Amino acid sequence: MYKSIIIGTGPAGLTAAIYMARANLNPLVIEGPQPGGQLTTTTEVENFPGFPDGILGSELMDNMRKQAQRFGAEFRTGWITSVDLSQKPFTLKVEGHGELKAESIIVSTGASARYLGIPGEQENIGRGVSTCATCDGFFFRGKKIIVVGGGDSAMEEAHFLTRFASEVVLVHRREELRASKIMQDRARSNPKITWSLNRAPLEVLAGERGVTGLKVWNNETGQEEIIETDGIFIAIGHTPNTGFLAGQLPTDEQGYLLVHPGTTETDIPGVFACGDVQDHRYRQAISAAGTGCMAALDAERYLEGIPAEEVLTL
Ligand code: NAP
């Protein structure tokens, strides 16, 4: 029986672990299939405060993990096969670790960027393929970049990337964009953005020094084309990692967990959510870490028996 089980080891989960451990609550942290979360898929992190020279994403996550361990957080690696939030204590079944029980649970399982699933994509992550313009745009100063997608994320990323790139080519598989009109208009009025609509990505092309181009299928001509580029930003959406909860917590229409505004409380007292699994707006390491801290403080107060209404006035 644990006071608290934290599920997920991105910046949100590890920050929650540091706070819970420092409060002597000996949290158990469950590490899933991608320890460290999305930051481990990027290279240099230059926007996490406190690192004036930047830090590798994997190193930042290693440091956070060590910091949590130093104060007594326990880690176990395993796939969660089921969760029962219907009665207290809450029960989790974790592959290789059996049944675990906890008085409180912090869900910080993040969201996974969707990938195209085409040849050359996975092996060139960090060599020109990215799913995060805020993280990696800076490395493409003066270069030509492709952004794939036709939603608001693609418009936003393309617009943002024109700060660095000499040209941003927006590649979308259809003629119509899914993005809102205001985002489309903003992208269309940006002279650095060019459009390759009706192009379905087929293969990421790369040489020794990284990405060199994107092979696409031109729906209008029925022929393959190669668009030369130095980088490919894939902006086709994210999927929050909530499948293991089997619908026990309310979500919005995109599957993100709902929390009570200004807190990390879910509809089930004792269950808290932080990081990207409940945030499709900011999605930054620092904002995830901030909500991880909030979840730990909310959980601590819950474990002390302070009612939620009173916490609001603390
Ligand atoms: P989205 O709206 O689901 O759009 C995903 C885009 O990727 C679609 O255009 C889709 O094409 C394309 N796509 C999906 N799978 C693909 C594949 N295998 N190959 C090629 N293209 C593929 O996702 P999003 O843009 O990330 O937005 C998610 C939500 O966040 C939306 O509600 C959005 O409004 C919101 N958001 C808001 C803002 C803002 O207001 N500032 C910024 C970002 C996101 P099809 O259109 O052909 O399906």
Side-chain angles (χ1 to χ4, degrees):
M1 167 71 100
Y2 289 88
K3 284 269 179 210
S4 190
I5 293 184
I6 298 167
I7 310 172
T9 54
L14 292 178
T15 303
I18 293 167
Y19 272 76
M20 292 299 269
R22 288 192 78 251
N24 272 340
L25 291 165
N26 307 104
L28 172 68
V29 188
I30 309 281
E31 258 177 341
Q34 193 185 39
Q38 291 183 67
L39 271 196
T40 58
T41 66
T42 183
T43 46
E44 191 93 353
V45 179
E46 294 182 328
N47 55 7
F48 201 92
F51 299 93
D53 302 319
I55 181 166
L56 286 176
S58 52
E59 196 183 341
L60 179 62
M61 300 322 297
D62 271 354
N63 288 348
M64 285 194 199
R65 193 180 193 280
K66 283 185 198 142
Q67 197 172 346
Q69 277 175 319
R70 179 178 148 216
F71 295 111
E74 179 187 335
F75 285 77
R76 295 199 200 180
T77 304
W79 187 258
I80 297 177
T81 54
S82 72
V83 175
D84 183 2
L85 304 179
S86 67
Q87 49 189 346
K88 288 172 190 163
F90 305 116
T91 309
L92 269 79
K93 284 191 188 149
V94 185
E95 234 169 51
H97 302 284
E99 209 171 79
L100 305 170
K101 294 204 180 277
E103 286 175 48
S104 68
I105 287 186
I106 295 179
V107 181
S108 51
T109 42
S112 304
R114 287 191 208 129
Y115 284 94
L116 295 161
I118 57 174
E121 183 183 44
Q122 290 298 313
E123 51 271 45
N124 285 300
I125 293 171
R127 302 181 72 242
V129 172
S130 172
T131 53
C132 179
T134 330
C135 320
D136 299 329
F138 197 68
F139 302 115
F140 292 87
R141 268 169 298 174
K143 306 232 163 128
K144 180 179 169 186
I145 307 177
I146 285 175
V147 172
V148 180
D152 281 341
S153 293
M155 301 304 118
E156 192 170 68
E157 302 238 316
H159 189 72
F160 174 77
L161 286 166
T162 59
R163 289 187 200 181
F164 314 103
S166 55
E167 179 187 355
V168 175
V169 185
L170 208 136
V171 174
H172 178 44
R173 62 185 174 185
R174 296 187 295 135
E175 178 73 32
E176 299 77 30
L177 299 168
R178 186 180 291 272
S180 55
K181 183 160 183 319
I182 186 164
M183 302 288 278
Q184 285 191 37
D185 289 350
R186 197 160 72 138
R188 286 194 192 278
S189 63
N190 187 323
K192 276 188 169 182
I193 298 178
T194 56
W195 301 80
S196 275
L197 301 177
N198 279 310
R199 279 14 179 235
L202 291 176
E203 184 180 352
V204 172
L205 307 173
E208 267 177 24
R209 297 175 65 188
V211 165
T212 56
L214 180 67
K215 191 193 280 180
V216 295
W217 178 259
N218 183 329
N219 294 330
E220 289 166 325
T221 61
Q223 290 191 337
E224 289 181 1
E225 285 171 10
I226 290 172
I227 308 173
E228 287 180 4
T229 184
D230 300 302
I232 301 173
F233 284 78
I234 297 157
I236 61 170
H238 284 75
T239 309
N241 301 318
T242 54
F244 70 101
L245 291 165
Q248 292 175 81
L249 289 173
T251 63
D252 66 12
E253 65 285 355
Q254 294 167 48
Y256 288 84
L257 295 182
L258 291 173
V259 290
H260 300 168
T263 78
T264 61
E265 295 158 9
T266 67
D267 272 3
I268 300 181
V271 181
F272 305 89
C274 54
D276 286 12
V277 74
Q278 53 84 57
D279 169 26
H280 52 75
R281 185 180 172 121
Y282 300 105
R283 296 198 293 233
Q284 300 300 299
I286 189 66
S287 53
T291 58
C293 159
M294 288 163 64
L297 297 179
D298 287 342
E300 272 175 49
R301 283 160 193 170
Y302 167 81
L303 291 167
E304 284 167 19
I306 302 176
E309 316 80 75
E310 282 179 34
V311 171
L312 288 177
T313 61
L314 280 177

